[in-house]
Amino acid sequence: MSEHGKQVPKVLVLGATGQLGRALIAAEARDLAVIPVARSDLDLTDFTTIRRLIDTDRPDLIINAAAIARPEYAEDEQDLALAVNARAVETLARAAKDVGAALLHISTDHVFDGSQTRPYTETDHAAPLNMYGATKLLGEELAQLACPRTAILRTSSLHAPWGRNQIVTTFAKAERGAQVRAAADRITSPTSAEIFAETCMAVAPSMIDSDPYSDIWGVTHVSAHGECSDSALLAQALGSAGFNPDLIAAQRMIDWPTTAAYPRSTPLDCTRMVRVFGIQPRPWQEHLERTLAALRPVETPEAA
């Protein structure tokens, strides 16, 4: 309860210990009671337990940041990816509807095939190339069918000062002086997980209060503004942190085949984000700076 006796809205955050989940828990959530749910707390392949959790906690909003998010792993474990990225999302949406909650589901630019020469809008045709994108797209569709108060935020190439992402991995290699290969032909709108999480928490209250006919529901692209290649992003990250940017070996994606196909160019158009949420996207360089601020080596002053 708030100091005025009003019930504080409850927000359940699934995937609380993941890269984005950590950022969501850390983000300032004004007048919201945020309840973290980690992987160890909830088996997302156990749909009965998911229903029981929602029925017991009766949240006002569920933020689903849990996913099988590594494309290669989703390709190798397709049944698991389908269960977590799609069927569990449908279960969450049905449970949300039953208790009167809204659902904020996080999705990805991997729902597109990357063949387009302009940034993708929400109405562009989705044609995923890999199992990760296919299961995330199915999760989007099932959630919207199950719960009319479902908002889906698609984002692009999340990075943070923690977790498993290309910037953290690159810094670890750079500290050893090792070369890092990166795609020169994979183009995205690289986005800070921290800034993205703050956006989620900023719009959460309006989701709790909105009726099923609001423009807030449906798919919205939320990412950094602009675009760059993986190799350009990592070279700038290293240079900004005092490492040698020449450690980045720019290559074509075809030069190192993986079990999962990656879309080549998936920058996101955030015009709808501005219109619906009134939030302007910030340049990808600013997003990168946010992550680097916590990753730069700390300089120790020389002794007097």
Side-chain angles (χ1 to χ4, degrees), residues 192-268:
S192 158
E194 293 177 288
I195 294 175
F196 179 77
E198 288 164 2
T199 301
C200 291
M201 287 305 181
V203 301
S206 58
M207 293 180 180
I208 292 169
D209 294 337
S210 293
D211 63 46
Y213 306 102
S214 170
D215 284 347
I216 208 168
W217 310 120
V219 179
T220 305
H221 290 171
V222 177
S223 74
H225 176 69
E227 58 190 66
C228 73
S229 67
D230 288 356
S231 58
L233 174 75
L234 297 178
Q236 179 156 329
L238 290 187
S240 296
F243 291 108
N244 181 2
D246 291 339
L247 287 173
I248 300 300
Q251 299 179 356
R252 298 175 304 164
M253 286 192 293
I254 198 173
D255 291 335
W256 69 93
T258 67
T259 55
Y262 279 68
R264 289 188 181 274
S265 182
T266 55
L268 298 179

Side-chain angles (χ1 to χ4, degrees), residues 91-126:
T91 303
L92 282 171
R94 291 187 185 280
K97 181 183 178 183
D98 288 347
V99 300
L103 174 64
L104 170 52
H105 176 61
I106 311 304
S107 194
T108 173
D109 57 349
H110 276 252
V111 300
F112 299 114
D113 65 10
S115 62
Q116 188 163 284
T117 57
R118 59 169 174 78
Y120 280 91
T121 69
E122 294 83 357
T123 57
D124 284 325
H125 179 62

Side-chain angles (χ1 to χ4, degrees), residues 35-55:
I35 304 169
V37 180
R39 179 181 299 181
S40 58
D41 301 322
L42 178 64
D43 178 1
L44 286 170
T45 65
D46 185 342
F47 306 141
T48 300
T49 301
I50 293 173
R51 295 287 309 224
R52 187 180 303 119
L53 173 72
I54 305 305
D55 288 342

Side-chain angles (χ1 to χ4, degrees), residues 149-182:
R149 296 176 69 231
T150 293
I152 293 161
L153 303 189
R154 288 185 189 142
T155 193
S156 175
S157 295
L158 286 179
H159 53 76
W162 54 73
R164 187 170 186 165
N165 63 74
Q166 58 182 347
I167 293 178
V168 170
T169 301
T170 295
F171 268 54
K173 291 182 178 180
E175 287 171 351
R176 304 194 305 268
Q179 196 169 58
V180 180
R181 62 181 182 176

